[in-house]
Amino acid sequence: GFQKDGSRRLLESFNSDEKEHTFTKSEAEPYTSKEEILLEESESPLNSNITAFALKANPNTKRATLGYGSSNPSLHENPKQAVLPNQVMETSTSGSLGSLSQGDKEDCSSCTTIHSTTSDDRFQARAFLKVTNFPEVLTCESFDVKLCLCSLILKDLMLLDAELRKERHVMFVQVLKIYVTDFCHKKKITDDLFKKILLIQEHGFEELQKQLDSRLQNSDMSGSHNSEYQTLEDLERKQREYSEHIIDNMEAFWKQTDKAQQAFLDQSKCASARATKITMDLTEKMIAVESLLSESQDLQAMDIQERLFSWELMVKMIDSLKSCIPEECKCRLNIVSNILDHLTVKNNLSVRQKEELLTDLHKAFWEQLAHFSNECIQQSKDLIFKRLECRAKKREEFQHRQKAEQGSLLSKTFRIEDVHDFLKAYHELLEKHRQAQWELEEEDDCESTETVADLYKELYSKASHALAELVTELFLQTLPSVTGFSVRECELLKEEWQENLIPQLEKWEMHRQGRWKLFQEQLLQEKKLWIKEYALSAVMQKHLSEKQEKIIQGVVSRLGCLSDESANYILQKHRLLLCSVLTRLTLRSVGMAALARMRLSRKNNLLQELREQHILQKGSSPCQDEDQWQLQKAVESHIREEEEKLKKETQQTRLEFHQQLVTEIQEALQFLQQHMEQVIGQTLLQHARQEAGKKSSEDGQDFKERLVEAAVESVYGTSNNINRLVQNYYQQLEEITEGYEGKKLQQLKSLQAERSERNRLRKKQENELALKEKQTKGLLNIPSTVHQRMVLQQKKVLSQFELQQQIRLESLKQKVLGLRHLETELENQLKEAEQDFVSELAALARVPVAVKKKPSKRSKPAGWEKTNSKTSQLPESEDKDHSHENMQEP
């Protein structure tokens, strides 16, 4: 280590003021790049962080040498780095060529305390570089590489979402086209109508996409007006607004599909049964589409997440190459300084001479390194720019070929029975295209990384060679003239420098490998955490799906009056919409996980750096005395405290995003409920119309009108005879109605009594169970926290509520079944009375008629007020000669 203050002051000046003055840009520049502060040299905050905390924790402990270089105070000087607008000052997460200086802290505690005075709000308002492709990150001027990478992940998720949304739209239009084409071939619609139907639907979906694009563009333009930089706060807002717009677009899409189906069925004028079958088929096909898209989205979302880990490995590799250049050069310079210190102690050199030699050496080397580094950085940027241009051209060629292949498939004619084959073929084609594009980008990312790595390896070689030449010149040319040493003596000094350098470089290589191992362990932990989050998301999705299925089945079962076909349609429609909602929310949850990682990235990085530095120091500098042992114990305790704080903050952040996701789920389910209400309403209306048409047919209204006309014109029936028949018929109806009301009242009383008895038995069982639980708890004496008791009480209340709801539902079902039975009995009695009346009236008027002996269960009595008097207004009749021939049974 250095033994004179002059050496420390010398390195201090060259590590801060001299190089900062020489290489920083004008203050007029709004942003200062990593390259522009290239020569702001400092040691990794390893020793300064730990020592600062230790001194604060134990002020009586003298500063101890924790490891190599710690005895050199100049290595701990931290000249301030330039920052972006709104950027908070923080320690860089990794030493690199582009960030040789670390941010100053206002006090010692801020070096080791992650929860510093800087607030999270300021961190969220911090600007970081806006990137569109991974290779840009390799030359990124921002220190927030993690934020840049996660922003790329969010971009990839949005692109995936857009592709799948477009695929959904195209598939629906094509499926509809297949059905319309089938109608056209069967001459059920004209060619002009065929073209008109498809044109209207394609125009409708294009308008939907235009509206979405406009809203997304407006959302993207709001917030920060800087086109090169963005903030985490802006990114979270845009993601939130994007999700809202996509949910609205999804709602509009399903409304458009319903509108398209109805327009097609209305214009084709097909029968009701045929229309119902087509609607069911279209719904079934779209469920298959949603299933394909959901599976594809899950797999590609996992690939995108894996890509993030690959990116982090490549960035770390480049960062490691960058950091080794200044670190090794400082190591070489420190050994030169040590040799010159030794000569000063022997009075072979004066302090002033030593400082002048070091000044000249440092100045010459750092100037050369700055020149080489600027060349390297510029070459990296130029190469990346050319590669991105080449990538864009390849992507354009890819898209042109892919569009032709898709057009070729879409132009083929498919029959209705081949719809599933078309869906599978089209989806597989798009998957093939996405995979090809993915492989192109991955290959280019790797090649770009290798290219940049080669440039930094070349820079390392140039820097080492330049420094070796300068050191050779110092020992073999400058020292002989200054000290009077012989050439042989100076050669021995140079050999000493080389010998001392080997173990130091070996130690540095061990440190580098140790950092790399710790980084891999951290990445593995992040992977495990991500897998856990993904599993939790899948469980939540399954729970939500089962709950919604249970709700809609309960609704359908309560309706009761619907046919099996109509009920199945409602369930299928709900399943389709629910699958669409869950697919969207699954992607949103993946995006939220990335946002949470971004929000915690700064503190995670600082804690990881602190942990990494401590482990490396512990391995390279084992404790030799009580003070150092106490120091390491204090640092370990501090790290555990910070880990606990970060764990709590992580839980809080995840909870915040989870609550936001729950809110968005509720909004999406609200849309689902509203849409299903419309579907159920339309189904009930259609069912009512079918029943009305069926009832009209069963009642035989035409025959009744003819019978009334014949009875009025008949000479056999007198007014008194007909009035007597009507009075007898009304009296019979009154008796039937009174009997029905009596049975109904008796049945309701019976059901009420049964329900009261069940409630009494249920309460008795609950009381017995509560008493048993109390006794058991008293015997076991199981302690429980307030939270546990609250959870148990909540579960108990919910179970009781569900049980009560189930009892009420069963009671209502019994009531409905009983009333239906009475209504059926009433309808049969009324129908029998009506048929008897029709038979008597026909016999009185001498009109031949065949009347059913067993009436329909669904029939209802019809009014016969027109027969009260022969003077009643009668409907126009057909020709008398054909009246008897056209009579049909009711």
Side-chain angles (χ1 to χ4, degrees):
F2 290 124
Q3 299 178 10
K4 298 293 181 181
D5 293 338
S7 299
R8 290 196 289 269
R9 288 196 304 272
L10 180 62
L11 277 182
E12 179 179 339
S13 72
F14 276 100
N15 286 343
S16 56
D17 300 338
E18 182 66 25
K19 291 183 288 297
E20 186 171 314
H21 173 74
T22 305
F23 299 106
T24 52
K25 288 186 71 175
S26 169
E27 293 181 358
E29 293 290 340
Y31 299 110
T32 304
S33 68
K34 292 168 77 174
E35 293 82 357
E36 290 155 359
I37 56 172
L38 178 65
L39 300 181
E40 295 181 6
E41 175 198 10
S42 79
E43 184 78 19
S44 176
L46 166 64
N47 303 321
S48 59
N49 283 358
I50 297 177
T51 306
F53 168 75
L55 288 175
K56 184 178 179 182
N58 189 1
N60 295 323
T61 302
K62 294 183 179 181
R63 182 168 180 165
T65 301
L66 293 182
Y68 170 73
S70 62
S71 60
N72 182 357
S74 65
L75 296 183
H76 307 301
E77 297 298 330
N78 294 327
K80 292 186 178 181
Q81 68 183 34
V83 292
L84 301 174
N86 303 323
Q87 183 175 357
V88 296
M89 297 298 297
E90 67 171 270
T91 304
S92 173
T93 58
S94 61
S96 69
L97 191 65
S99 58
L100 300 181
S101 63
Q102 307 298 332
D104 267 341
K105 302 300 175 180
E106 295 181 359
D107 54 38
C108 296
S109 62
S110 63
C111 294
T112 53
T113 301
I114 293 173
H115 302 264
S116 63
T117 55
T118 304
S119 67
D120 291 339
D121 292 338
R122 285 187 59 196
F123 176 69
Q124 285 188 265
R126 170 186 185 149
F128 61 94
L129 193 65
K130 189 183 294 182
V131 292
T132 55
N133 294 282
F134 167 71
E136 297 175 40
V137 181
L138 299 175
T139 59
C140 182
E141 298 178 359
S142 170
F143 292 98
D144 301 297
V145 174
K146 185 82 168 186
L147 298 181
C148 293
L149 292 180
C150 286
S151 69
L152 285 177
I153 291 299
L154 293 173
K155 175 177 169 288
D156 284 349
L157 291 174
M158 291 170 67
L159 287 175
L160 173 62
D161 189 34
E163 289 176 1
L164 296 181
R165 186 167 58 253
K166 182 179 179 181
E167 184 177 345
R168 180 187 292 112
H169 289 195
V170 172
M171 282 183 166
F172 175 79
V173 172
Q174 286 301 120
V175 170
L176 185 64
K177 180 180 178 181
I178 291 173
Y179 278 87
V180 176
T181 303
D182 181 70
F183 269 62
C184 185
H185 288 165
K186 293 179 180 178
K187 305 300 182 183
K188 294 183 179 180
I189 58 174
T190 63
D191 291 341
D192 291 339
L193 185 56
F194 166 76
K195 294 177 181 178
K196 180 182 177 183
I197 291 173
L198 292 182
L199 189 63
I200 290 174
Q201 302 316 319
E202 289 177 358
H203 178 71
F205 289 117
E206 286 176 2
E207 282 298 315
L208 278 182
Q209 189 59 41
K210 287 180 181 178
Q211 292 174 10
L212 177 62
D213 292 340
S214 176
R215 295 178 69 180
L216 292 178
Q217 185 178 6
N218 292 336
S219 176
D220 191 56
M221 291 175 63
S222 62
S224 176
H225 300 291
N226 192 298
S227 59
E228 296 182 10
Y229 291 87
Q230 60 185 338
T231 66
L232 183 54
E233 185 179 17
D234 272 346
L235 196 59
E236 288 185 9
R237 175 189 56 78
K238 288 177 182 179
Q239 286 290 311
R240 189 165 54 248
E241 292 178 356
Y242 175 80
S243 180
E244 293 172 359
H245 296 330
I246 295 302
I247 291 292
D248 292 342
N249 177 262
M250 181 175 62
E251 180 180 4
F253 170 75
W254 290 118
K255 286 182 178 178
Q256 180 67 25
T257 58
D258 290 348
K259 183 179 177 182
Q261 291 178 32
Q262 196 58 46
F264 161 56
L265 296 175
D266 290 343
Q267 293 178 20
S268 62
K269 297 179 181 179
C270 60
S272 176
R274 175 67 174 161
T276 302
K277 186 178 184 305
I278 291 174
T279 304
M280 291 280 289
D281 287 347
L282 286 172
T283 305
E284 181 185 345
K285 302 303 184 294
M286 289 310 294
I287 289 176
V289 169
E290 287 297 327
S291 178
L292 288 173
L293 297 182
S294 177
E295 182 180 355
S296 176
Q297 177 186 278
D298 289 344
L299 292 175
Q300 291 187 63
M302 294 178 72
D303 288 341
I304 289 173
Q305 183 64 48
E306 286 292 339
R307 171 183 272 187
L308 174 62
F309 297 133
S310 299
W311 282 347
E312 290 195 59
L313 280 170
M314 288 188 278
V315 168
K316 185 67 175 178
M317 183 185 74
I318 297 297
D319 189 65
S320 180
L321 286 173
K322 289 180 182 179
S323 65
C324 77
I325 297 172
E327 294 293 340
E328 286 196 17
C329 289
K330 282 186 291 183
C331 180
R332 296 168 189 264
L333 290 171
N334 285 342
I335 296 174
V336 172
S337 180
N338 290 340
I339 292 174
L340 295 182
D341 277 343
H342 187 64
L343 293 178
T344 304
V345 171
K346 290 183 176 181
N347 293 322
N348 293 323
L349 277 177
S350 67
V351 174
R352 182 176 179 181
Q353 288 175 326
K354 183 195 70 171
E355 289 182 351
E356 288 177 353
L357 290 175
L358 286 176
T359 298
D360 294 339
L361 176 63
H362 277 263
K363 184 177 181 181
F365 171 71
W366 290 115
E367 284 179 353
Q368 287 193 45
L369 181 60
H371 175 69
F372 295 149
S373 299
N374 287 333
E375 282 185 351
C376 177
I377 291 168
Q378 190 57 48
Q379 288 176 3
S380 299
K381 289 186 175 181
D382 293 342
L383 285 170
I384 293 299
F385 181 75
K386 289 178 182 178
R387 295 198 68 90
L388 290 178
E389 279 188 334
C390 183
R391 178 190 287 197
K393 289 180 181 178
K394 286 183 180 179
R395 184 188 294 116
E396 189 175 347
E397 293 173 0
F398 263 58
Q399 290 175 348
H400 182 73
R401 290 200 303 268
Q402 291 168 359
K403 191 173 182 181
E405 291 181 12
Q406 293 172 24
S408 175
L409 179 60
L410 294 176
S411 64
K412 294 181 180 179
T413 301
F414 292 89
R415 298 174 299 174
I416 291 179
E417 53 267 27
D418 299 330
V419 171
H420 280 293
D421 293 336
F422 160 72
L423 295 177
K424 183 179 179 182
Y426 184 69
H427 181 68
E428 287 179 351
L429 179 63
L430 294 186
E431 286 287 279
K432 175 186 170 185
H433 291 167
R434 277 192 284 267
Q435 185 63 29
Q437 182 67 35
W438 183 272
E439 290 174 357
L440 170 68
E441 293 177 357
E442 280 197 329
E443 182 181 358
D444 190 67
D445 289 343
C446 292
E447 290 178 357
S448 298
T449 305
E450 290 173 359
T451 301
V452 175
D454 290 339
L455 288 174
Y456 278 102
K457 288 176 183 177
E458 184 181 349
L459 173 61
Y460 172 79
S461 177
K462 286 181 178 180
S464 299
H465 182 69
L467 183 55
E469 287 185 346
L470 290 172
V471 171
T472 299
E473 181 182 350
L474 172 67
F475 283 118
L476 300 185
Q477 295 181 19
T478 308
L479 273 182
S481 61
V482 174
T483 61
F485 285 176
S486 65
V487 175
R488 178 56 185 163
E489 288 176 318
C490 290
E491 286 178 351
L492 290 174
L493 289 175
K494 182 187 174 186
E495 290 175 4
E496 180 185 351
W497 172 73
Q498 292 175 334
E499 290 174 359
N500 293 340
L501 182 61
I502 294 173
Q504 295 300 334
L505 292 180
E506 288 177 350
K507 182 183 290 186
W508 161 250
E509 179 62 21
M510 288 177 59
H511 284 191
R512 190 187 65 80
Q513 292 178 0
R515 288 192 184 98
W516 183 258
K517 183 179 179 181
L518 289 171
F519 169 75
Q520 290 179 314
E521 291 175 356
Q522 180 195 12
L523 210 58
L524 182 61
Q525 291 300 320
E526 288 187 8
K527 282 187 178 182
K528 290 180 179 178
L529 180 62
W530 170 72
I531 292 172
K532 182 179 179 181
E533 289 175 348
Y534 196 83
L536 289 174
S537 177
V539 170
M540 184 177 71
Q541 180 177 338
K542 182 180 179 182
H543 169 73
L544 189 61
S545 177
E546 292 175 350
K547 185 177 180 180
Q548 287 296 313
E549 287 284 349
K550 185 178 180 181
I551 290 173
I552 193 64
Q553 287 175 358
V555 170
V556 171
S557 67
R558 292 177 191 181
L559 290 175
C561 61
L562 295 176
S563 63
D564 292 341
E565 190 177 42
S566 297
N568 190 35
Y569 168 69
I570 291 175
L571 293 174
Q572 273 197 325
K573 191 70 175 180
H574 181 268
R575 192 173 297 117
L576 171 62
L577 299 180
L578 181 61
C579 184
S580 181
V581 168
L582 293 177
T583 300
R584 165 87 278 275
L585 293 174
T586 299
L587 201 65
R588 173 63 170 149
S589 66
V590 176
M592 281 185 169
L595 289 172
R597 192 173 299 158
M598 293 175 75
R599 192 183 289 187
L600 295 165
S601 65
R602 168 177 164 264
K603 295 179 180 178
N604 266 319
N605 289 339
L606 290 174
L607 177 60
Q608 178 63 16
E609 183 182 353
L610 188 62
R611 188 188 295 123
E612 173 185 293
Q613 292 162 1
H614 172 61
I615 292 175
L616 292 175
Q617 281 290 349
K618 188 176 179 180
S620 63
S621 179
C623 295
Q624 296 179 356
D625 55 39
E626 182 67 20
D627 289 341
Q628 287 190 350
W629 186 82
Q630 291 293 340
L631 181 64
Q632 288 193 356
K633 285 294 181 183
V635 173
E636 290 171 358
S637 175
H638 174 66
I639 291 175
R640 286 194 296 270
E641 290 175 5
E642 294 299 339
E643 287 175 341
E644 190 63 29
K645 289 179 184 178
L646 184 58
K647 182 179 179 181
K648 290 180 180 178
E649 186 165 350
T650 301
Q651 292 175 347
Q652 183 63 32
T653 302
R654 287 182 187 163
L655 178 61
E656 181 180 337
F657 278 108
H658 177 73
Q659 289 172 343
Q660 185 177 330
L661 181 63
V662 168
T663 301
E664 293 182 15
I665 289 174
Q666 291 173 344
E667 292 173 358
L669 292 180
Q670 184 68 23
F671 137 70
L672 175 63
Q673 180 181 340
Q674 292 173 355
H675 199 87
M676 285 308 303
E677 286 173 357
Q678 296 176 3
V679 170
I680 292 173
Q682 292 170 357
T683 305
L684 289 172
L685 182 61
Q686 184 180 4
H687 175 75
R689 286 173 178 169
Q690 291 176 350
E691 286 295 315
K694 185 179 178 182
K695 184 67 171 62
S696 175
S697 175
E698 288 179 352
D699 287 346
Q701 191 67 29
D702 294 341
F703 166 73
K704 293 174 184 177
E705 291 177 357
R706 296 191 198 102
L707 179 59
V708 169
E709 182 181 349
V712 170
E713 295 179 355
S714 175
V715 296
Y716 299 102
T718 63
S719 178
N720 292 333
N721 291 338
I722 292 177
N723 284 336
R724 186 172 62 254
L725 282 177
V726 171
Q727 288 175 1
N728 290 338
Y729 175 60
Y730 280 167
Q731 185 177 359
Q732 189 176 4
L733 291 181
E734 186 177 353
E735 291 174 357
I736 292 173
T737 304
E738 288 178 356
Y740 166 75
E741 292 294 338
K743 291 179 180 179
K744 179 180 176 181
L745 181 62
Q746 183 179 359
Q747 187 175 39
L748 291 176
K749 288 181 179 179
S750 176
L751 288 173
Q752 181 65 33
E754 290 179 6
R755 183 179 175 183
S756 299
E757 179 63 20
R758 281 199 300 271
N759 285 335
R760 187 186 67 80
L761 292 174
R762 179 179 58 82
K763 289 182 179 179
K764 182 179 178 182
Q765 290 176 354
E766 288 178 358
N767 293 334
E768 291 175 353
L769 184 61
L771 182 61
K772 186 177 180 181
E773 288 179 354
K774 188 175 180 181
Q775 292 174 349
T776 304
K777 187 176 180 181
L779 290 172
L780 296 177
N781 194 21
I782 300 175
S784 61
T785 64
V786 175
H787 177 70
Q788 289 174 336
R789 291 198 298 271
M790 287 178 63
V791 170
L792 289 174
Q793 184 65 20
Q794 184 182 23
K795 289 181 179 179
K796 183 178 179 181
V797 171
L798 287 175
S799 63
Q800 290 176 353
F801 176 76
E802 290 179 359
L803 181 61
Q804 291 174 359
Q805 288 290 89
Q806 192 65 29
I807 291 174
R808 289 179 62 189
L809 181 60
E810 290 296 328
S811 178
L812 288 173
K813 283 183 178 179
Q814 290 182 4
K815 181 179 178 180
V816 169
L817 289 174
L819 292 178
R820 278 187 187 169
H821 177 73
L822 290 178
E823 287 175 1
T824 302
E825 185 179 342
L826 174 64
E827 287 179 359
N828 290 337
Q829 291 177 350
L830 292 174
K831 195 63 179 180
E832 288 176 2
E834 179 184 347
Q835 289 182 348
D836 290 343
F837 173 71
V838 169
S839 299
E840 291 178 5
L841 180 61
L844 182 63
R846 306 291 176 87
V847 175
V849 60
V851 182
K852 286 184 179 180
K853 296 301 180 182
K854 294 182 180 180
S856 171
K857 292 183 179 181
R858 307 293 282 178
S859 299
K860 295 182 180 179
W864 285 83
E865 286 81 0
K866 294 179 181 178
T867 60
N868 280 335
S869 171
K870 279 190 173 185
T871 59
S872 301
Q873 186 177 358
L874 300 174
E876 293 183 1
S877 63
E878 298 179 357
D879 193 316
K880 242 178 154 184
D881 296 334
H882 300 287
S883 61
H884 297 324
E885 296 176 6
N886 293 333
M887 286 183 183
Q888 299 179 20
E889 61 182 358

